[in-house]
Amino acid sequence: MTQKADTLFTNAIVLTMDEKLNQYDPGAVAVKGDTIIAVGTEEKIKKEYTAGEVIDCGGKILMPGLVNAHTHVPMTLLRGLADDLRLDVWLMGYMLPVEREFVSPEFVRLGTLLACAEQIRSGVTTFNDMYFFEDDIAQAAADAGMRAVCGQSVMKYPAPDADAFEDSIAYAREFIKKWKGHPLIIPAIAPHAPYSTTPEILRACAEIAKEHDVPLHIHISETAFEVENMRSEQGMPVVPYVKKQGVLEAKVIAAHCVHIDVGEMKTLQHVNAGIAHNPSSNLKLASGFAPVTRMLENGLNVGIGTDGPASNNDLDMFEEVRLASFVAKSASNDPTALPAATTLLMATRMGAQALHIGHLTGSLEPGKRADLILVDTSPLHNSPRFKRDPMNAYAQLVFASKSTDVTDVMVNGKWLMRGKELLTLNEAELLQQARELAQKIDAFLIEREQSVLSKLIALGGSMEEESFEVQAKVRVAEPASFVQKMKRKEIEITAHKHYLQYDNYFIFDDPSQGRLRFREDNLINEKGEVESVRSRLTLLGQQREGEVGHDVLLSRSRFLAPAIHTLRFYREYFKPAQEVAVEKDRLRWHIRYKDTEFFVNLDEVKEPQMGHFLEVKSRTWSRKDADLKAELANELLNLLGADGAETVTQDLIEVLTAN
Amino acid sequence: MTQKADTLFTNAIVLTMDEKLNQYDPGAVAVKGDTIIAVGTEEKIKKEYTAGEVIDCGGKILMPGLVNAHTHVPMTLLRGLADDLRLDVWLMGYMLPVEREFVSPEFVRLGTLLACAEQIRSGVTTFNDMYFFEDDIAQAAADAGMRAVCGQSVMKYPAPDADAFEDSIAYAREFIKKWKGHPLIIPAIAPHAPYSTTPEILRACAEIAKEHDVPLHIHISETAFEVENMRSEQGMPVVPYVKKQGVLEAKVIAAHCVHIDVGEMKTLQHVNAGIAHNPSSNLKLASGFAPVTRMLENGLNVGIGTDGPASNNDLDMFEEVRLASFVAKSASNDPTALPAATTLLMATRMGAQALHIGHLTGSLEPGKRADLILVDTSPLHNSPRFKRDPMNAYAQLVFASKSTDVTDVMVNGKWLMRGKELLTLNEAELLQQARELAQKIDAFLIEREQSVLSKLIALGGSMEEESFEVQAKVRVAEPASFVQKMKRKEIEITAHKHYLQYDNYFIFDDPSQGRLRFREDNLINEKGEVESVRSRLTLLGQQREGEVGHDVLLSRSRFLAPAIHTLRFYREYFKPAQEVAVEKDRLRWHIRYKDTEFFVNLDEVKEPQMGHFLEVKSRTWSRKDADLKAELANELLNLLGADGAETVTQDLIEVLTAN
């Protein structure tokens, strides 16, 4: 007697991706409700099952839907916004400023729906997300009909959805309670990365994940820099560090793992952590080559992810699968590494296992949810087709098929795409909304990019500190005599310091932008050793405000900020037309003279060699005050015996860029 | 007054890819006959030109067609035939045997038309080919309407179109004369590679290229192995070697250049050689990471190619362009390396320059041929679109566009595709023919793969040498005494050798396949040094033919061949179910006894340790002869004092695999 199914797929090349990699050609699959109830040869299944809907697959490949093991779906809206940049410039110069300005529940909903449309079109049925406002992402994914692990981000910094990490954790707890048990959505908690969290955050997230038995999604060892920092600060690599915080007691999904060693692999395998490998992102950001073959040898479940579409720049898992194989071969210098079948497995069953939902999806097996796709292998770019070796079928899919060959997609027994028509999403409407938002983002950035100052402000974390200075400077031949003269009783020394200063001036084509100075101050102690180093960024007004009295200048420093990034970061972010480096040895006195505070600097300009300069400076706030201080500054120069010396009315940088 | 054009493209985002990377949005292009006559803003061009046909591009990108700088187009027919293999196994185990059997003028015509269809669909307007029967390839490309540099292969081995290289050279000469001056086809000569040619061939090819002023297309430094060999055999790397043969006096197109140094780059730049970089192929075959950034810094014109579709497995230049950028970034550990605009330039204008046809194609500039494409950037995977930075347009194309976004293609002023419909090719018919041919190739390989013997024969260069042997063997405790007894006067010693033998037996699941033995014989001289090494491959019958008399065996060796490949090659090619290694120390005497030739072997089996064995053997050809020799063999054993020893009737490998 035959059994009753809802849908019967016939006349397909069935790639089950099960333990034995069974293939049936022609094969058939029976679905009832949300579940696959039978898989086998067409002859067998047709004998055993009848169904209300019988689908002739026309010789297409019928296989499990792809599992995108790591992404940030709302970033579809930031795709192509900024490319060919280093990670820090991309992230802190563009992504974070735009996210601070634009990310909202509406933003993530639109971005998620766009991402679902793109993923359904390319055969993805499950994705693993990490972003902000994850409740809205979960709702959008559920509305689109996709299966998703949704991880609410937690970071030590303020985020678009939380002023402090405690808010994110509270949000995550409510979010998990709300979605736990949903047929499509698996809520999760996502401490962003070890470097962007604290031990306290990691422990709190692990506790919540354990308490609610949900996955914990985290970036691990994406860059060599991250690992170096961890080693120097904590004396251990990243995996032992997160283990110490209890993270590995949860069901971990570790994204990237580009720079982990075999010991860390064994640790992760021991706790059944899943890995998400992201070839496009790793290549595009030059993060390195993840040791995928080694991870597989060590028994880890490694899935494949697209990462966010702003660093990829798409959500095309066919491309990722092909790249995963290509990169493993080239990085290991072995063309037999990561063959097609293994790579496709990583994007299906093993990917689902990496997300801790292997019991639900990832292969065509009775009892699993009906998450499946049809792929047309008849197009030109994939012809002809060889059948000599069962492996040919996987090679065809991995090395030549395109995401655009996917024609039909079913998730949880429900059709999301038939004959390339999306059934749950209004593509035209989404595209229109995205275009409108993109115009706003474009306008925001265009306005910001118009001035060096606004680009500086966009970086955040820095303070506007406009200051005016009175400045008198002379060229001196015998610097040693001044050090003696500083001991005169009229001068009260309140502080004395010795610095080595390395300045880099960024010059822009438009002089009205001002000049940006990156200064590294090395404080030298009495033994001549570097005692401390600090860096500051100063946006200098392009011109002197004018002269105050004879030979004394009024200068304006428009903006001052601690330089928390590297010189290289600022260079790539601000893209100056010209750059000038200056190295100075500075003896600095903070003094009081006639009840007025002055700085006295005795500088030796060592690079380029320009000799010695004596400078007397004081902050000022009014023209009247400036006039008074100009007079005092001239007195001081006389007192120090520099009254005959050559006056310098230009900044060093003006002299250096005058030619 | 306005000028008259044939076709006016309006309402497009025009990416000219000219020297200044001019973009016009909205822009327009005017075409007359086969030539672009104007490019600029829509406003300007519309004012200056009228045309019979005005095409509203609907905001799509209008750009030069892509240049595929290196391929072997007929290999579309071998796509997906064999993957995840090492280069030698792939080439000598699969490609060459199939090519020897199937490649003909009809084969290359069909393969070329298929490749043209695929390339037109993905926006390629020019390709640079190297294969056999290039006259038929050129005709097929011209029929399809594509621009192509067609290089007739010349090799030192017999080829499908030539028994000897002289035939190829004569063919090439006629081919070049016939096609020189054609509006679409640029004939060329293609000495395959330095390792597959001779200095004589290289010199002859260079002469022809110079005489007819046509390009010379050659594979250069694809693998590290090739460079190592060249250094050890010629004492120089590959570029100086080909220079020595006069190759660089021609207009060179050097494919791959994965392993060239800066000196070689400068040499190539000095002669204006073009480079074809093939990222997919280099990754998939694990050839290495070509130093593209360094080549560009050294002023070389570097184009991008797909290589043959059997090692890629498609002709998708969008994928290659993206990969070229990704790989340059990751290999140099610098995400700012090879930005989108530069990479797209390599696939357009610079690619055409690398093929020495930069004056004809590669950019949208007045005077160049109308080779252009329309790309739709409205699909989901490429939305939204940002305009803040002119570079956004290139990033969008390179990092997110797909070949399937190409909607229209024109070559030489003639439409090849409109609205995704091919106009010069019958796709369905080509696919049907390809399917039929693939079935034949499949059948050929399936038959071959059914037996180890036919796989061995398919490798070529080996000889069938069936031989029967009479064999008597005993286990011995005191080997030294036998060496003495060999000096008895009844025994005439004609030769005496000492070997160290390393055997690797391949065992297959089906015992009727026999066993394959890879033997490395190390001949040891009187000083105990290795004097020479030779390797042989022997396919051993799975069973003894029977016993001859008491304790003497009749054995059959079915096939014998010099092992010209490595043990690793044979392992990956034959894929044995099991492998057993045996190491023996063998003293071997070639003797005459009663006018009959015998071999006497005194073996110490060292790995695994199994003690000493004495073996007496003789070739035989009839049952009667075998009976006689069996009797003599027993006499010999008695003479040597082994009459009481334990008889061994099994081969070592039978003993070792018995458990």
Side-chain angles (χ1 to χ4, degrees):
Chain A
M1 208 190 102
T2 60
Q3 284 180 264
K4 187 91 184 119
D6 291 332
T7 308
L8 211 55
F9 294 85
T10 63
N11 188 23
I13 302 166
V14 176
L15 303 184
T16 64
M17 305 313 288
D18 64 11
E19 277 296 335
K20 292 183 175 167
L21 288 183
N22 279 309
Q23 293 184 22
Y24 305 104
D25 181 9
V29 170
V31 171
K32 194 179 175 87
D34 60 4
T35 303
I36 294 167
I37 56 171
V39 183
T41 63
E42 186 181 275
E43 197 187 350
K44 179 174 185 291
I45 301 296
K46 270 181 151 174
K47 246 183 232 158
E48 296 174 3
Y49 293 87
T50 58
E53 187 184 25
V54 177
I55 291 166
D56 181 339
C57 299
K60 287 179 186 169
I61 284 179
L62 175 61
M63 59 176 285
L66 301 174
V67 176
N68 184 352
H70 176 65
T71 184
H72 313 285
V73 283
M75 296 181 90
T76 42
L77 289 167
L78 306 179
R79 174 204 330 261
L81 182 64
D83 293 287
D84 298 314
L85 300 172
R86 228 174 290 267
L87 180 61
D88 54 2
V89 179
W90 175 80
L91 187 66
M92 288 176 284
Y94 291 90
M95 293 301 130
L96 290 181
V98 169
E99 286 182 335
R100 275 195 292 266
E101 187 76 16
F102 288 96
V103 172
S104 66
E106 295 71 33
F107 178 100
V108 306
R109 179 172 175 83
L110 175 59
T112 302
L113 292 176
L114 276 168
C116 286
E118 185 181 352
Q119 291 187 99
I120 294 166
R121 284 211 169 282
S122 54
V124 174
T125 53
T126 298
F127 66 91
N128 176 35
D129 190 65
M130 174 199 287
Y131 206 63
F132 311 106
F133 299 111
E134 203 68 32
D135 181 52
D136 297 279
I137 294 172
Q139 188 61 56
D143 292 348
M146 288 191 77
R147 195 176 302 287
V149 179
C150 295
Q152 168 63 28
S153 288
V154 186
M155 300 198 296
K156 65 184 175 189
Y157 318 113
D161 58 357
D163 289 335
F165 79 85
E166 290 89 345
D167 300 342
S168 301
I169 287 184
Y171 181 111
R173 195 186 295 275
E174 289 311 306
F175 164 67
I176 290 167
K177 280 188 202 160
K178 176 175 169 186
W179 288 95
K180 181 88 193 203
H182 189 275
L184 289 171
I185 304 301
I186 297 95
I189 193 159
H192 176 265
Y195 61 82
S196 52
T197 56
T198 62
E200 184 187 0
I201 293 175
L202 291 176
R203 276 192 292 271
C205 290
E207 282 306 318
I208 290 180
K210 280 193 290 178
E211 183 190 335
H212 297 281
D213 190 31
V214 296
L216 182 152
H217 183 185
I218 185 168
H219 293 103
I220 294 283
S221 299
E222 181 172 1
T223 65
F225 179 72
E226 174 188 346
V227 178
E228 278 160 31
N229 278 353
M230 184 60 79
R231 282 189 182 276
S232 76
E233 286 166 19
Q234 303 288 337
M236 61 183 88
V238 179
V239 172
Y241 169 78
V242 298
K243 185 179 180 193
K244 199 174 148 195
Q245 320 310 336
V247 167
L248 301 192
E249 292 158 28
K251 296 193 292 192
V252 169
I253 306 165
H256 298 300
C257 295
V258 177
H259 301 277
I260 63 170
D261 61 30
V262 172
E264 291 177 282
M265 291 177 203
K266 289 186 194 296
T267 303
L268 290 171
Q269 195 278 330
H270 187 68
V271 299
N272 193 34
I275 311 293
H277 170 49
N278 305 278
S280 280
S281 171
N282 293 165
L283 289 173
K284 185 157 183 275
L285 299 171
S287 308
F289 303 102
V292 173
T293 306
R294 192 60 71 88
M295 290 196 261
L296 294 176
E297 284 165 3
N298 279 281
L300 281 162
N301 285 322
V302 184
I304 298 176
T306 57
D307 208 345
S311 66
N312 181 309
N313 293 347
D314 55 33
L315 295 166
D316 187 335
M317 278 291 289
F318 277 78
E319 196 186 314
E320 293 308 316
V321 173
R322 177 159 48 245
L323 262 187
S325 177
F326 279 5
V327 168
K329 291 175 190 307
S330 53
S332 65
N333 197 22
D334 176 2
T336 69
L338 219 57
T342 310
T343 323
L344 197 62
L345 194 61
M346 289 167 66
T348 52
R349 180 164 50 84
M350 199 190 283
Q353 287 164 345
L355 303 186
H356 307 280
I357 53 171
H359 57 295
L360 291 178
T361 191
S363 55
L364 302 186
E365 293 180 84
K368 284 207 183 181
R369 300 292 183 274
D371 295 355
L372 46 83
I373 64 174
L374 285 174
V375 186
D376 186 3
T377 59
S378 71
L380 261 174
H381 57 260
N382 215 340
S383 295
R385 179 166 187 264
F386 295 98
K387 302 186 180 186
R388 172 182 60 87
D389 185 326
M391 294 298 117
N392 286 156
Y394 305 110
Q396 187 179 31
L397 268 170
V398 169
F399 299 125
S401 284
K402 296 182 194 301
S403 59
T404 48
D405 298 335
V406 176
T407 57
D408 300 81
V409 175
M410 175 179 271
V411 173
N412 216 43
K414 191 182 159 199
W415 285 113
L416 305 189
M417 182 165 81
R418 288 302 309 266
K420 295 203 178 187
E421 284 295 315
L422 294 180
L423 303 181
T424 55
L425 294 162
N426 184 332
E427 212 168 339
E429 198 178 277
L430 293 173
L431 285 171
Q432 178 55 31
Q433 290 173 31
R435 260 192 301 275
E436 286 165 14
L437 185 61
Q439 279 167 10
K440 287 181 197 159
I441 296 174
D442 241 356
F444 166 76
L445 280 179
I446 288 166
E447 194 191 330
R448 186 193 83 168
E449 304 258 310
Q450 278 170 352
S451 89
V452 173
L453 179 60
S454 60
K455 283 192 80 169
L456 189 59
I457 292 169
L459 287 179
S462 47
M463 304 155 297
E464 194 157 358
E465 207 175 273
E466 213 161 12
S467 72
F468 290 85
E469 259 181 7
V470 160
Q471 188 192 102
K473 186 153 86 171
V474 294
R475 183 182 283 279
V476 297
E478 291 163 33
S481 68
F482 294 100
V483 179
Q484 283 305 314
K485 285 173 183 151
M486 283 302 294
K487 294 177 183 165
R488 293 182 69 130
K489 65 176 190 311
E490 295 92 332
I491 298 171
E492 179 197 346
I493 296 174
T494 54
H496 176 42
K497 298 270 175 66
H498 179 198
Y499 292 103
L500 274 177
Q501 287 182 336
Y502 301 90
D503 290 347
N504 281 69
Y505 290 90
F506 292 171
I507 321 285
F508 302 94
D509 280 336
D510 169 10
S512 73
Q513 295 288 340
R515 299 189 194 88
L516 202 59
R517 183 183 67 199
F518 178 90
R519 167 167 291 176
E520 186 186 300
D521 258 334
N522 287 249
L523 179 62
I524 309 296
N525 67 15
E526 285 166 7
K527 295 179 204 158
E529 299 157 344
V530 175
E531 192 163 294
S532 67
V533 178
R534 66 168 187 172
S535 299
R536 273 181 307 167
L537 201 65
T538 310
L539 181 62
L540 303 154
Q542 80 285 8
Q543 282 182 316
R544 296 315 174 94
E545 293 295 312
E547 296 201 9
V548 193
H550 175 58
D551 294 341
V552 178
L553 293 166
L554 184 63
S555 126
R556 187 172 67 149
S557 169
R558 288 175 60 191
F559 198 88
L560 196 83
I564 58 168
H565 305 301
T566 62
L567 172 61
R568 193 264 311 146
F569 172 90
Y570 295 113
R571 179 183 297 138
E572 293 180 5
Y573 178 67
F574 288 104
K575 297 189 184 120
Q578 195 194 340
E579 190 174 339
V580 179
V582 177
E583 187 185 329
K584 274 194 299 225
D585 186 290
R586 166 166 286 184
L587 291 174
R588 183 180 185 84
W589 292 268
H590 190 187
I591 63 160
R592 292 183 68 83
Y593 173 70
K594 294 191 175 172
D595 276 342
T596 308
E597 293 197 341
F598 284 92
F599 288 100
V600 179
N601 296 324
L602 181 61
D603 293 341
E604 180 189 0
V605 181
K606 302 171 81 172
E607 183 57 46
Q609 279 201 2
M610 292 176 71
H612 292 79
F613 297 88
L614 183 72
E615 196 176 41
V616 175
K617 279 183 175 184
S618 186
R619 291 264 171 89
T620 185
W621 52 86
S622 73
R623 188 74 195 192
K624 194 179 157 193
D625 178 70
D627 285 339
L628 173 68
K629 285 181 173 157
E631 209 177 301
L632 291 176
N634 273 330
E635 274 185 38
L636 260 171
L637 282 179
N638 290 345
L639 202 62
L640 293 169
D643 45 324
E646 177 197 345
T647 303
V648 181
T649 58
Q650 281 187 303
D651 253 355
L652 271 180
I653 187 59
E654 289 172 310
V655 177
L656 288 169
T657 56
N659 313 338
Chain B
M1 208 190 103
T2 59
Q3 286 182 262
K4 186 89 184 122
D6 291 332
T7 308
L8 210 56
F9 294 84
T10 63
N11 188 25
I13 302 165
V14 176
L15 304 184
T16 63
M17 305 313 288
D18 65 10
E19 277 296 337
K20 291 183 174 169
L21 287 183
N22 279 310
Q23 292 183 25
Y24 305 103
D25 181 10
V29 170
V31 171
K32 195 179 175 86
D34 58 6
T35 303
I36 295 166
I37 56 171
V39 183
T41 63
E42 185 181 278
E43 197 186 351
K44 180 173 184 291
I45 301 296
K46 269 179 152 177
K47 247 183 230 156
E48 296 174 3
Y49 294 88
T50 58
E53 187 185 26
V54 178
I55 292 166
D56 180 340
C57 300
K60 288 179 186 170
I61 284 180
L62 175 60
M63 59 176 282
L66 301 174
V67 176
N68 183 354
H70 175 65
T71 184
H72 312 285
V73 282
M75 294 181 92
T76 42
L77 289 168
L78 305 179
R79 175 206 326 263
L81 182 65
D83 293 287
D84 298 314
L85 300 172
R86 227 172 290 267
L87 181 61
D88 54 1
V89 179
W90 177 79
L91 188 66
M92 289 177 283
Y94 291 90
M95 292 302 128
L96 290 182
V98 170
E99 286 182 335
R100 274 196 293 265
E101 186 76 16
F102 288 96
V103 173
S104 66
E106 296 71 34
F107 178 100
V108 305
R109 179 171 175 84
L110 176 59
T112 302
L113 292 176
L114 275 169
C116 286
E118 185 181 351
Q119 290 185 100
I120 294 167
R121 282 210 170 282
S122 54
V124 174
T125 52
T126 299
F127 66 92
N128 176 35
D129 190 65
M130 173 198 288
Y131 207 62
F132 310 107
F133 300 109
E134 203 68 31
D135 181 52
D136 297 278
I137 294 171
Q139 189 59 57
D143 292 348
M146 289 192 76
R147 195 175 303 287
V149 179
C150 295
Q152 168 63 28
S153 288
V154 186
M155 299 199 295
K156 65 183 175 188
Y157 319 112
D161 58 358
D163 289 333
F165 79 85
E166 289 90 346
D167 300 342
S168 301
I169 287 185
Y171 180 110
R173 196 185 296 274
E174 289 311 304
F175 164 67
I176 290 167
K177 280 189 200 159
K178 174 174 169 185
W179 288 94
K180 182 90 185 166
H182 189 276
L184 289 171
I185 303 301
I186 296 95
I189 192 159
H192 176 265
Y195 61 82
S196 52
T197 56
T198 61
E200 184 187 1
I201 292 175
L202 292 176
R203 277 193 292 270
C205 290
E207 283 308 317
I208 291 180
K210 280 192 289 178
E211 183 190 334
H212 298 280
D213 190 31
V214 296
L216 182 151
H217 183 185
I218 184 168
H219 294 102
I220 294 283
S221 299
E222 180 173 0
T223 66
F225 180 71
E226 175 188 346
V227 179
E228 278 162 31
N229 278 353
M230 184 61 80
R231 282 190 181 273
S232 76
E233 284 166 21
Q234 303 287 338
M236 62 183 89
V238 179
V239 172
Y241 169 78
V242 297
K243 186 181 179 191
K244 199 175 149 194
Q245 321 310 335
V247 168
L248 301 192
E249 293 159 29
K251 297 194 291 193
V252 169
I253 306 165
H256 298 301
C257 295
V258 177
H259 301 276
I260 62 171
D261 61 31
V262 172
E264 292 178 281
M265 292 177 202
K266 289 184 193 299
T267 302
L268 290 171
Q269 195 278 330
H270 187 67
V271 299
N272 193 33
I275 311 293
H277 169 49
N278 305 278
S280 280
S281 171
N282 294 166
L283 289 173
K284 185 157 183 272
L285 298 172
S287 308
F289 302 102
V292 173
T293 307
R294 193 61 71 87
M295 292 195 260
L296 293 175
E297 283 165 5
N298 279 282
L300 280 162
N301 286 321
V302 185
I304 297 177
T306 57
D307 208 346
S311 66
N312 182 306
N313 293 349
D314 55 34
L315 295 166
D316 187 335
M317 278 291 289
F318 277 77
E319 196 185 313
E320 293 309 316
V321 172
R322 177 159 48 245
L323 262 187
S325 176
F326 278 5
V327 168
K329 291 173 190 306
S330 53
S332 65
N333 199 22
D334 177 2
T336 69
L338 219 58
T342 310
T343 322
L344 198 61
L345 195 60
M346 290 167 66
T348 52
R349 180 164 51 82
M350 197 189 285
Q353 287 164 345
L355 304 187
H356 306 279
I357 53 173
H359 56 296
L360 291 178
T361 191
S363 56
L364 302 185
E365 294 180 85
K368 283 208 184 182
R369 299 293 182 275
D371 295 354
L372 46 82
I373 64 175
L374 284 173
V375 185
D376 185 3
T377 59
S378 72
L380 259 174
H381 57 260
N382 215 340
S383 295
R385 180 164 186 266
F386 295 97
K387 303 185 179 185
R388 172 182 60 88
D389 185 326
M391 294 298 119
N392 286 156
Y394 305 109
Q396 188 179 29
L397 268 171
V398 170
F399 299 126
S401 284
K402 296 181 194 301
S403 59
T404 48
D405 298 335
V406 176
T407 58
D408 300 82
V409 175
M410 176 180 271
V411 174
N412 216 43
K414 191 182 159 200
W415 284 113
L416 305 189
M417 183 165 80
R418 288 303 310 266
K420 295 205 179 186
E421 283 296 314
L422 295 179
L423 303 181
T424 55
L425 293 162
N426 184 333
E427 211 168 338
E429 199 179 276
L430 293 173
L431 285 171
Q432 178 56 30
Q433 289 173 30
R435 260 193 300 276
E436 285 164 16
L437 184 62
Q439 279 167 10
K440 286 181 198 158
I441 296 173
D442 241 356
F444 166 76
L445 280 178
I446 288 167
E447 194 190 329
R448 186 192 85 168
E449 303 258 310
Q450 277 170 352
S451 88
V452 173
L453 178 60
S454 59
K455 285 193 78 169
L456 189 59
I457 293 169
L459 286 179
S462 47
M463 305 155 299
E464 192 157 358
E465 208 175 273
E466 211 161 13
S467 72
F468 290 85
E469 259 179 8
V470 161
Q471 190 192 101
K473 184 152 87 171
V474 295
R475 182 183 284 279
V476 297
E478 290 163 35
S481 67
F482 293 100
V483 179
Q484 282 308 314
K485 285 174 183 152
M486 284 303 294
K487 294 176 183 168
R488 294 183 67 131
K489 64 178 193 309
E490 296 92 331
I491 298 171
E492 179 197 346
I493 297 173
T494 53
H496 176 44
K497 299 270 173 67
H498 180 197
Y499 292 103
L500 273 179
Q501 287 182 335
Y502 300 90
D503 291 346
N504 279 69
Y505 290 91
F506 293 171
I507 321 284
F508 301 94
D509 280 335
D510 170 10
S512 73
Q513 295 289 339
R515 298 188 195 88
L516 202 58
R517 184 183 67 200
F518 179 90
R519 167 167 291 176
E520 186 186 300
D521 257 334
N522 288 251
L523 179 63
I524 308 299
N525 66 15
E526 284 167 7
K527 295 179 206 157
E529 297 158 346
V530 175
E531 193 163 293
S532 67
V533 177
R534 66 168 189 171
S535 298
R536 274 181 307 167
L537 202 64
T538 310
L539 181 62
L540 302 154
Q542 81 284 8
Q543 282 182 315
R544 297 315 176 93
E545 293 294 311
E547 296 202 9
V548 195
H550 176 61
D551 293 343
V552 179
L553 293 166
L554 185 63
S555 127
R556 186 170 69 149
S557 170
R558 288 176 60 192
F559 201 86
L560 195 83
I564 58 168
H565 305 300
T566 62
L567 172 60
R568 193 264 310 146
F569 172 91
Y570 295 113
R571 181 183 297 138
E572 293 180 4
Y573 177 68
F574 288 104
K575 298 190 185 119
Q578 194 194 339
E579 191 174 337
V580 178
V582 177
E583 186 185 331
K584 272 194 299 222
D585 186 290
R586 167 167 285 185
L587 292 174
R588 183 181 186 87
W589 291 268
H590 190 187
I591 64 163
R592 291 181 69 81
Y593 174 69
K594 295 190 176 172
D595 276 343
T596 308
E597 293 197 341
F598 284 92
F599 287 100
V600 177
N601 296 325
L602 181 60
D603 292 343
E604 181 189 357
V605 181
K606 300 169 83 170
E607 184 57 46
Q609 279 200 4
M610 292 176 72
H612 292 78
F613 296 88
L614 182 71
E615 195 176 42
V616 175
K617 279 183 175 185
S618 186
R619 292 263 172 92
T620 185
W621 53 85
S622 73
R623 186 75 197 191
K624 194 179 160 194
D625 178 71
D627 285 338
L628 176 67
K629 284 178 173 160
E631 209 177 303
L632 292 175
N634 271 329
E635 274 184 38
L636 261 169
L637 284 180
N638 289 344
L639 203 63
L640 293 169
D643 45 324
E646 179 196 345
T647 304
V648 181
T649 57
Q650 281 187 304
D651 252 354
L652 272 180
I653 186 60
E654 289 172 309
V655 176
L656 287 169
T657 56
N659 313 339

